[in-house]
Amino acid sequence: MRPLVRLLAITSAALWLATGSAQAQLQLNGAGATFPYPMYSKWFSLYGAIDPTSRFNYQSIGSGGGIKQISEQTVDFGATDGPMSDEQLRAAKGGPVLHVPTVMGAVVLTYNVEGLPELKLTPEIVADVFLGRIVKWNDGAIAAANPGAALPAQDIVVVHRSDGSGTTYIFTDYLSKVSRAWLDTVGRGTAVRWPVGLGGKGNEGVTGLVKQTPFSLGYVELVYALSNQLPFAAVKNRAGQLVTPTLASVTAAAADTAVEMPNDFRMSITDASGAEAYPIAGMTWLLVYEKQADAAKGAKLLAFLDWALTEGQNAAAPLNYAPLPPAVAAKARAALARITMADGRPLAGK
């Protein structure tokens, strides 16, 4: 166990032993992104064994909701896959908000077409389908990218998110980079005005709609497609290579982040340049106030974050999330020193 985690966990455990009951448990409330929800659920379970005085209540309501709730100070931490804008940061009621990167993942294009086990897509096809310009599965562009495939003469049922979503931010950020028409008419954001399609709430909702709707195509985080045994497409990247979303191809997309990572950690890794990089990959963040109004909760949150950035990273790959590059995790750990008590005194060892 790392020194900071050990110090804070010992402090919490001593308090728990002193009281001799679960009454010493302190609940940390969080809300936000559905993209990393399986990862965070696993972390909360694992960390409960390390510090039994900490308990987590996380509502998987989407990144838009997470940003809203941390901004309104109705939760102890938020979670998002799309970074807060400068305007949102200025509006946060509790002062400066720190984006703590946690893990990385892939947004995949999952579909429901019987007899089509594999699908290859170019950036142009993806943009045109979601712009409503390509409407049939047997469109000439899709046929050219998938020679020999049995493509049905059926309408494509586009499925997108209906709620404010970091997964949507990653997807529309990608589309804005690869399609001028998308950038000019729709743009990027956690919520956009979709030209076509059906809306599902959360990654769970989109997955459910695709699973239930023949000839549908939607975007979800990789783990949701895998856990529902839905197929997903390989996508041609900026280097012209067709790449299947895997841990390795997400890690390749983040290869340059250690050098380019800004001090506020708000960085996009979509449309990366590497030959092996999957192009629709994203980082996800926990959002915490740098000045903690509740010192006891702040200390527990700080200890958890330090653990998540070290030992916790080992739990990422089994759940199909890519761990942070070591240099990025180290930079994020160093940034945790910005989290203090309300008066600026350090939380560790208070």
Side-chain angles (χ1 to χ4, degrees), residues 317-335:
L319 290 177
N320 293 296
Y321 292 94
L324 297 173
V328 174
K331 184 168 183 172
R333 283 192 72 215

Side-chain angles (χ1 to χ4, degrees), residues 288-323:
V288 297
Y289 280 111
E290 293 187 0
K291 303 294 185 188
Q292 292 288 309
D294 185 322
K297 284 189 172 183
K300 286 191 173 296
L301 189 56
L302 182 59
F304 168 74
L305 291 170
D306 192 74
W307 174 85
L309 291 169
T310 51
E311 284 90 342
Q313 293 292 301
N314 297 326
L319 290 177
N320 293 296
Y321 292 94

Side-chain angles (χ1 to χ4, degrees), residues 85 98 119 165 173 191 316:
S85 66
L98 177 62
L119 181 63
S165 158
D173 179 59

Side-chain angles (χ1 to χ4, degrees), residues 22-28 52-56 294 296-298 300:
Q23 291 180 348
Q25 278 193 335
L26 198 58
Q27 178 166 292
L28 297 169
T53 67
S54 294
R55 193 169 71 179
F56 292 85
D294 185 322
K297 284 189 172 183
K300 286 191 173 296

Side-chain angles (χ1 to χ4, degrees), residues 118-141:
E118 296 181 355
L119 181 63
K120 300 168 185 174
L121 298 174
T122 65
E124 295 78 15
I125 293 173
V126 178
D128 283 349
V129 167
F130 280 83
L131 282 168
R133 294 176 173 179
I134 292 179
V135 298
K136 295 283 189 182
W137 277 101
N138 64 346
D139 181 275

Side-chain angles (χ1 to χ4, degrees), residues 42-178:
K42 183 68 174 179
W43 274 353
F44 299 150
S45 175
L46 292 173
Y47 192 72
I50 295 172
D51 179 8
T53 67
S54 294
R55 193 169 71 179
F56 292 85
N57 171 39
Y58 181 76
Q59 300 298 315
S60 173
I61 59 173
S63 295
I67 289 173
K68 181 178 181 180
Q69 292 209 17
I70 190 68
S71 298
E72 296 292 327
Q73 295 181 291
T74 56
V75 291
D76 302 308
F77 63 92
T80 184
D81 313 317
M84 294 174 70
S85 66
D86 291 344
E87 182 180 2
Q88 288 172 326
L89 286 171
R90 285 192 294 269
K93 294 181 177 179
V97 174
L98 177 62
H99 287 65
V100 181
T102 53
V103 291
M104 303 176 298
V107 175
V108 305
L109 288 149
T110 188
Y111 59 97
N112 180 350
V113 179
E114 189 173 354
L116 188 64
E118 296 181 355
L119 181 63
K120 300 168 185 174
L121 298 174
T122 65
E124 295 78 15
I125 293 173
V126 178
D128 283 349
V129 167
F130 280 83
L131 282 168
R133 294 176 173 179
I134 292 179
V135 298
K136 295 283 189 182
W137 277 101
N138 64 346
D139 181 275
I142 300 177
N146 296 269
L151 297 167
Q154 296 284 345
D155 288 345
I156 300 172
V157 181
V158 172
V159 182
H160 55 72
R161 290 283 290 270
S162 61
D163 53 330
S165 158
T167 309
T168 293
Y169 180 87
I170 295 169
F171 186 58
T172 58
D173 179 59
Y174 165 73
L175 291 176
S176 295
K177 290 180 180 178
V178 300

